[in-house]
Amino acid sequence: MASSTAASPLTCHHLGASAAPRSRLPAVSFSLRRRSSKPISLSRSHSLPSKPLLAPPPAASASPSRGVLPPVSASASPAAAPAPPPKPALQGAAITPLLASVATGVLIWLVPAPAGVPRNAWQLLAIFLSTIVGIITQPLPLGAVALLGLGAAVLTRTLTFAAAFSAFGDPIPWLIALAFFFARGFIKTGLGSRVAYAFVAQFGSSSLGLGYALVFAEALLAPAIPSVSARAGGIFLPLVKSLCEACGSRSGDGTERRLGAWLMLTCFQTSVVSSAMFLTAMAANPLSANLTAATIGEGIGWTLWAKAAIVPGLLSLVLVPLILYVIYPPQVKSSPDAPRLAKERLAKMGPMSKAETIMAGTLLLTVGLWIFGGMLNVDAVSAAILGLSVLLITGVVTWKECLAESVAWDTLTWFAALIAMAGYLNKYGLISWFSETVVKFVGGLGLSWQLSFGVLVLLYFYSHYFFASGAAHIGAMFAAFLSVASALGTPSLFAAMVLSFLSNLMGGLTHYGIGSAPVFYGAGYVPLAQWWGYGFVISVVNIIIWLGAGGFWWKMIGLW
């Protein structure tokens, strides 16, 4: 028996070669096992011979004489049959993070609600913060944590079932999920590799150059595509994933820091900057302009917005990738041979295949509808569904492959859950109470308008931790904060412009604060704690750039 469990690949190969004398024995199934009863993997890491594990028997002439059985080795004995495999261990929640999440919710739930806050709003806040702690500590996958949060809201009757799951009808989570399906086709057909190699051939001698090429390409598309989710998910996520894989950086195999982690974080943090630079670069920007006109009687046009944002925006686009390159560097920083190798790969790929052509045409159709959809009354998610329909009908992507995109469905679940809870925090009156409390607090400090406005800006910006949508934040707090800033002596148009820009930049704080966040985070290259940590660091950088250098620029153009 000992020889059975300790058999080497060479021994097994020898047994196969000498199996002919036992041609009259019943067939015996050989299974090579370690002492742990787990089958040995026949991967390339094992030095097994390239021949079949059991060689076929030789010619019949080599069979033994009639009635004589050859000796049978111990390894072929029926007694050596493997024991049944052990039952898989249960893989439940991590207990410590789960207890931290539950304790957070219970403690807030038991604290009496402040005066002016409805009890159901306070209870929902407890569940919301408990869910956020769970999403950060991850006792379970994110979608499971969010589902538990919705379940708690329904079981405690804080939300009805329809209210808890209302955001699953919101177009943004579905647009993000559809982006992952597009990425599947982009990579599967080889079009992603082709475009990635073309990028590397032009800019790939350094990782920083590659990053800047992507950053400014996204910024050029920003004014034409008014959905940051569409830009991030439909165009740049597939491209960035292909670039990372072409450079040997993949999610989940320990090579994330080679290039992908820095590139994903850089593309995300600069997507919020490009969204802030143009009135048409983010779907909620026109809402800021409309609320400005309704509150102070002055509008913000496309030209004024772009003129005010261009200097601080360009500074952020240049400095943010460089700062991340220093504090969160890729392991591969330069590759002088990469452009040459990329050109060789492109030459080997030859002309585009039929599947690549269909994928490219579908992508152009979808992007075209994102750009001109306003004139055709076609929204972003409808355009994405049309594009996916083409891919499914042509077989470029199959529905089975869509179902296998677990990250897409997980992201859809947790993002929709957070949108629903954050939306009902506003509907229940918690956000309006918070805004009124802040207004009274800042107004009573007796500070200069500059300092008062600085306090308002910080409160407005960092309260975004409680929002899963820029539009929801703007709708809940923009007008109130603008009114207070104007009453305290801040130049009204200046205050409106600053709050409008920050309404985009604050999306970089978390993995749910703006439409591009779950797209790039869902790729799996950056751990959640690092995503939040570097999000806070870059938020400080952006505030300094936009209120510092931007303030001087706005003084020059007469905003204050």
Side-chain angles (χ1 to χ4, degrees), residues 260-308:
W262 172 77
L263 204 54
M264 289 289 177
L265 202 55
T266 295
C267 288
F268 165 60
Q269 288 294 342
T270 53
S271 73
V272 304
V273 174
S274 59
S275 295
M277 291 178 66
F278 304 98
L279 178 61
T280 53
M282 207 266 276
N285 286 347
L287 176 59
S288 299
N290 292 339
L291 290 174
T292 298
T295 305
I296 66 174
E298 293 184 71
I300 305 176
W302 195 96
T303 303
L304 176 60
W305 186 302
K307 181 180 178 181

Side-chain angles (χ1 to χ4, degrees), residues 169-187:
D170 189 287
I172 297 300
W174 284 102
L175 184 60
I176 292 166
L178 290 166
F180 284 97
F181 304 152
F182 267 80
R184 163 75 75 162
F186 199 68
I187 293 172

Side-chain angles (χ1 to χ4, degrees), residues 26-118:
V28 177
S29 173
F30 288 88
S31 179
L32 197 60
R33 293 183 175 271
R34 293 190 179 99
R35 294 187 183 274
S36 63
S37 297
K38 294 181 180 178
I40 293 178
S41 171
L42 299 183
S43 63
R44 293 181 181 177
S45 60
H46 295 283
S47 57
L48 291 174
S50 59
K51 303 175 184 178
L53 189 59
L54 294 178
S61 59
S63 61
S65 60
R66 185 177 181 86
V68 180
L69 291 177
V72 179
S73 71
S75 61
S77 171
K87 294 181 179 180
L90 295 177
Q91 295 181 345
I95 299 302
T96 301
L98 181 64
L99 291 176
S101 175
V102 173
T104 300
V106 170
L107 288 174
I108 297 173
W109 185 285
L110 295 176
V111 172
V117 178

Side-chain angles (χ1 to χ4, degrees), residues 312 494 544-557 560:
F494 167 77
I544 292 173
I545 291 173
W546 285 74
L547 296 186
F552 284 110
W553 171 243
W554 299 329
K555 181 77 170 177
M556 291 177 60
I557 62 176
W560 64 286

Side-chain angles (χ1 to χ4, degrees), residues 288-289 291-293 295-296 298-300 305 453 460 478 481-482 485-486 490-503 559:
S288 299
L291 290 174
T292 298
T295 305
I296 66 174
E298 293 184 71
I300 305 176
W305 186 302
F453 186 61
Y460 181 80
F478 185 94
F481 274 62
L482 178 56
S486 300
T490 309
S492 299
L493 186 58
F494 167 77
M497 297 294 289
V498 171
L499 292 175
S500 298
F501 299 146
L502 296 183
S503 296
L559 277 184

Side-chain angles (χ1 to χ4, degrees), residues 527-539:
L528 188 61
Q530 294 180 7
W531 190 276
W532 278 51
Y534 288 113
F536 179 80
V537 171
I538 297 302
S539 75

